[in-house]
Amino acid sequence: MTIDDAPRDALRGGPRELLRWVATGAAVSRADLSRLSGLSPSTVSQRVEALISQGLLEEAGAGRSRGGRRPRQLAVPTGGAVVGAIDLGAHHARVGALDLSGRVVQARTLPVRIEDGPEAVLGALLAEVATLVGSDPAAGGGSAPGALRGVGIGIPGPVQHSTGRIVSPSRMPGWNGFDVAAFCAGRVDVPVVVDNDANLMALGAHRTAHSELDHAVYIKAGTGIGSGVISSGRLHRGAQGSAGDISHCRVVADPAPPCTCGNAGCLEAVASGAALVTALREQGVPVSDLTGVIRLIDDGDRQATALARQAGRAVGEILAVVVNFFNPQVVAIGGRLADCEPLLASMRATLYERCLPLATQTLLIERVAAGQDVGITGAAHLVIDHVVAAA
Ligand SMILES: [Zn+2]
């Protein structure tokens, strides 16, 4: 099985929307679904029966009666570790088993050497997914064979959406052109969906914190830097899957540092965690990784703080263009640099300075709140959407 081919479910009351209303508690009965969707009771019933037969919905006891027969309550089956998720980073991967509501049942962080290449890295992570799903404590220490419904994978680089192939990633030697979906399909017997890590962070954050908002931009600032866009309530990927990839947008920087893409002055070369490590080393500060940089910033180190402010301004400059162009309701920043106060403060100031008043009047600027599981949560929702659409 290959990648999700973005099945359309834009019509009000599509199976995915029905499931989401139940999952979020907006609906507990067929009557609620009929009212919310505007669909006839018989159409809703038909769709609900299909979802129940696929194991995606269940009936849970009796609801409140308005006279006559008590309506049966609908629920999304929770507790089962049935969706596998991998959020791959430059040095670590978060791997999880989640239930059909997108709740994390089990998860752990593993060290990763991305330079070991895709076969070794993905092979090990898929094995870990199988272990987590198989050791679900809710299933008495072992989920039933075949319980796994799908695996979602986030990659820290550009992913061509139609094929699941990685295209010209920075800092991922040996991964260019690799067909993640085909490789994984040869190793697991369930659908595998692949997307870039910023898109999965956006999906996870939107579903958990902002599902009532239609237009949102999520910045992922870690070793690399990228963004994911929610438009009209849906993840916006564009024609090929590169929508939201702000890493090689040019910012004002003098001197303009060289970028891995061959240009100079890219956002990634100025404001990413990797760029901060490089810049500090060039100033003679012996720092080995992003953790070291964050520690220096937290300690109020003058050089590190100045670089963080410069990075925040650069992110703010690009984000101002995005906000003016797209007019989101919320901009949220996640990733390891999101807790870096000087970066956030200068990003916010630049954003207000450069945006149209109408665009920022009611704009929420926040940190992504969902923590380290936001990526695997997004990956799980991608799988759930795919399974529902296929059903
Ligand atoms: Zn570049």
Side-chain angles (χ1 to χ4, degrees):
M1 184 73 210
T2 58
I3 191 167
D4 174 14
D5 57 351
R8 303 275 189 273
D9 188 31
L11 292 176
R12 199 149 177 80
R16 279 192 283 190
E17 199 172 22
L18 298 184
L19 194 65
R20 203 165 304 143
W21 279 326
V22 176
T24 57
V28 296
S29 67
R30 291 167 175 77
D32 291 342
L33 290 173
S34 182
R35 178 174 47 78
L36 286 167
S37 64
L39 294 171
S40 71
S42 63
T43 305
V44 166
S45 252
Q46 215 170 24
R47 291 185 182 176
V48 165
E49 291 314 319
L51 289 168
I52 290 174
S53 72
Q54 296 286 329
L56 297 165
L57 268 184
E58 63 186 17
E59 305 205 78
R64 200 152 29 102
S65 170
R66 295 194 190 88
R69 197 155 55 91
R70 280 149 73 86
R72 286 162 294 168
Q73 283 205 337
L74 298 170
V76 173
T78 54
V82 293
V83 179
I86 297 170
D87 183 19
L88 181 60
H91 306 290
H92 295 92
R94 187 78 176 157
V95 180
L98 297 88
D99 71 14
L100 284 171
S101 71
R103 194 183 62 87
V104 176
V105 178
Q106 301 209 78
R108 57 178 302 211
T109 301
L110 303 175
V112 158
R113 283 168 42 92
I114 212 93
E115 62 273 22
D116 287 348
E119 286 96 345
V121 170
L122 292 172
L125 295 176
L126 285 172
E128 186 62 28
V129 165
T131 305
L132 286 181
V133 170
S135 65
D136 172 13
S143 281
L148 187 65
R149 305 293 292 255
V151 179
I153 304 178
I155 299 289
V159 175
Q160 185 179 42
H161 183 64
S162 57
T163 61
R165 240 176 234 283
I166 299 175
V167 183
S168 304
S170 310
R171 294 182 304 275
M172 295 180 78
W175 291 68
N176 185 29
F178 190 75
D179 191 337
V180 177
F183 173 82
C184 296
R187 276 158 186 76
V188 293
D189 204 18
V190 291
V192 175
V193 289
V194 187
D195 210 323
N196 80 69
D197 58 346
N199 277 354
L200 293 191
M201 190 192 84
L203 193 60
H206 183 255
R207 294 283 174 88
T208 49
H210 302 127
S211 61
E212 78 289 1
L213 301 180
D214 281 339
H215 309 294
V217 173
Y218 298 91
I219 306 287
K220 182 167 185 189
T223 302
I225 193 158
S227 81
V229 178
I230 301 288
S231 174
S232 301
R234 296 164 58 84
L235 190 58
H236 175 76
R237 294 192 181 85
Q240 290 283 336
S242 74
D245 194 338
I246 53 173
S247 43
H248 301 287
C249 292
R250 186 166 187 152
V251 293
V252 178
D254 185 26
C259 180
T260 50
C261 72
N263 289 323
C266 296
L267 181 64
E268 173 147 321
V270 175
S272 67
L276 296 183
V277 173
T278 305
L280 276 172
R281 277 193 195 145
E282 283 170 358
Q283 294 180 17
V285 181
V287 67
S288 60
D289 55 15
L290 183 53
T291 306
V293 173
I294 291 171
R295 198 175 301 134
L296 284 173
I297 295 168
D298 286 345
D299 290 345
D301 176 86
R302 196 174 47 79
Q303 284 160 294
T305 304
L307 283 170
R309 287 212 185 92
Q310 185 190 354
R313 271 194 300 278
V315 176
E317 268 178 40
I318 299 299
L319 208 45
V321 176
V322 172
V323 167
N324 282 334
F325 181 81
F326 178 61
N327 189 199
Q329 292 151 300
V330 60
V331 166
I333 181 163
R336 295 182 65 203
L337 284 172
D339 291 328
C340 174
E341 202 49 59
L343 187 151
L344 220 63
S346 59
M347 180 195 91
R348 188 185 286 266
T350 308
L351 201 52
Y352 281 119
E353 187 186 309
R354 298 285 176 87
C355 283
L356 294 169
L358 187 58
T360 50
Q361 223 166 46
T362 59
L363 177 69
L364 302 168
I365 303 173
E366 299 177 355
R367 285 195 179 92
V368 169
Q372 64 177 345
D373 287 334
V374 68
I376 57 172
T377 303
H381 280 289
L382 201 62
V383 171
I384 296 162
D385 285 356
H386 177 87
V387 170
V388 173

